[in-house]
Amino acid sequence: MTDKKIIAIDLDGTTLYSDGVTVSDYTKQIFKSVQDQGHHIIIATGRPYRMALQIYQELELDTPMINFNGAMISIPGQHWPHALSKHVDKAMVFELIKEEERFELDFLAAEFRRKFFINAFDKANPQIFGIDSFEAYHQMRMDKLDDDPNAILLQTRITDKLLLASQINDHFDNQVNISAWGGQNGILEIVPKGISKASALAHYLDVTGQDVANLIAFGDEHNDVEMLGFAGTGYAMKNASDVLLAHADHQIAYTNDEDGVAKTLERLFL
């Protein structure tokens, strides 16, 4: 492969180890070597900006970062004229609170670039939000929610997350896009209609004049479906969900805990 590539990487279950924190030294070394050849690595994650920034810095990236499953694209530390920030109507937050028994919700949270507000602490793991414990100012109140959030995060007791996602979408007349997180945590993330990691990558390709044929993407879960389907070449991890596999061009032989992304990039480019 001689053309310069855009390499979109999911974080959780893909680039990071299963502790949700660790990027191996091997991965950092491979990423640096790949970038030194002129290829561009772009983080595309469901995580908010505040929970991905440290990883971005560890990887020594200077490319745009995609957060909230595509609702935000920006270059940290720079004024990038093509930055985008999309928002969900805050009225949906209060509507979901009214329907929390129907949808069997443990909690829901309004997510912003640097902050979040959550309606219940007792059944929520603060580590989901990148903190050790909740503080009083994290408590959701109507007077605090004066802006539209980038995303709504919720945890459900319903086992079939994808069915619930469809029901919530119907409730809002298909005006949102809902993705499920991996694992057994029952987490769903709501962003505006038409927004996905793929839509953010399409915006990046458009403003930089690059061809989608040169886009490579790595992912493991439901929120990577559009991205892998859009990319010129889509790679699903060994640990990928069955939902994603149908949209991938290849499934790699290694998991996230086995540095699957880095091993594939080493084979392709180094």
Side-chain angles (χ1 to χ4, degrees):
M1 293 186 177
T2 56
D3 292 335
K4 300 307 179 187
K5 302 295 183 182
I6 306 101
I7 303 159
I9 56 166
D10 174 49
L11 291 182
D12 295 283
T14 302
T15 305
L16 298 178
Y17 282 2
S18 293
D19 62 4
V21 176
T22 303
V23 181
S24 72
D25 289 340
Y26 166 71
T27 289
K28 294 175 186 177
Q29 174 190 338
I30 295 299
F31 280 20
K32 184 177 188 308
S33 297
V34 168
Q35 292 180 98
D36 286 345
Q37 291 193 5
H39 306 292
H40 297 279
I41 296 175
I42 295 179
I43 289 174
T45 180
R47 289 187 176 209
Y49 179 93
R50 66 180 186 276
M51 288 180 61
L53 182 59
Q54 181 177 341
I55 299 159
Y56 179 94
Q57 292 169 340
E58 278 189 56
L59 293 173
E60 299 181 5
L61 302 179
D62 59 5
T63 50
M65 180 167 64
I66 295 168
N67 299 102
F68 300 115
N69 287 319
M72 179 178 290
I73 179 170
S74 61
I75 300 180
Q78 294 186 33
H79 174 69
W80 186 46
H82 306 295
L84 291 178
S85 183
K86 302 293 186 179
H87 302 88
V88 178
D89 189 335
K90 63 185 178 183
M92 292 184 180
V93 176
F94 302 113
E95 178 64 21
L96 282 167
I97 290 174
K98 288 195 298 184
E99 300 291 340
E100 61 183 338
E101 288 189 15
R102 172 187 171 190
F103 296 134
E104 298 186 38
L105 303 184
D106 289 331
F107 70 80
L108 63 90
E111 287 270 20
F112 300 83
R113 178 185 177 95
R114 297 277 190 183
K115 63 184 179 181
F116 71 91
F117 302 116
I118 183 171
N119 74 324
F121 293 167
D122 57 334
K123 294 182 181 178
N125 182 350
Q127 293 181 353
I128 291 173
F129 301 91
I131 58 175
D132 294 325
S133 61
F134 295 114
E135 303 292 342
Y137 59 80
H138 291 130
Q139 182 68 53
M140 186 183 297
R141 295 201 318 257
M142 289 190 69
D143 60 321
K144 284 184 178 179
L145 207 61
D146 52 0
D147 294 317
D148 292 332
N150 293 103
I152 301 171
L153 199 68
L154 58 86
Q155 180 172 291
T156 178
R157 298 181 296 280
I158 294 175
T159 304
D160 191 337
K161 292 182 288 188
L162 299 185
L163 176 60
L164 177 61
S166 177
Q167 293 172 344
I168 294 175
N169 212 345
D170 288 343
H171 183 78
F172 288 115
D173 296 322
N174 296 309
Q175 291 305 303
V176 292
N177 189 27
I178 308 175
S179 297
W181 283 22
Q184 303 301 313
N185 51 29
I187 299 290
L188 295 175
E189 187 160 21
I190 301 173
V191 294
K193 182 179 181 180
I195 294 300
S196 67
K197 295 179 182 182
S199 69
L201 286 165
H203 171 72
Y204 174 71
L205 294 178
D206 183 54
V207 300
T208 58
Q210 299 183 76
D211 194 321
V212 71
N214 290 323
L215 174 63
I216 297 172
F218 291 86
D220 74 306
E221 253 303 334
H222 175 251
N223 62 346
D224 299 311
V225 164
E226 294 92 345
M227 178 170 74
L228 264 64
F230 174 69
T233 308
Y235 290 93
M237 306 300 292
K238 180 181 179 181
N239 52 288
S241 70
D242 291 340
V243 172
L244 184 63
L245 292 180
H247 303 270
D249 297 297
H250 307 282
Q251 183 177 22
I252 65 179
Y254 304 100
T255 69
N256 57 312
D257 290 318
E258 297 168 324
D259 296 306
V261 174
K263 286 177 179 175
T264 303
L265 294 180
E266 184 177 28
R267 176 177 60 81
L268 292 173
F269 300 112
L270 302 176

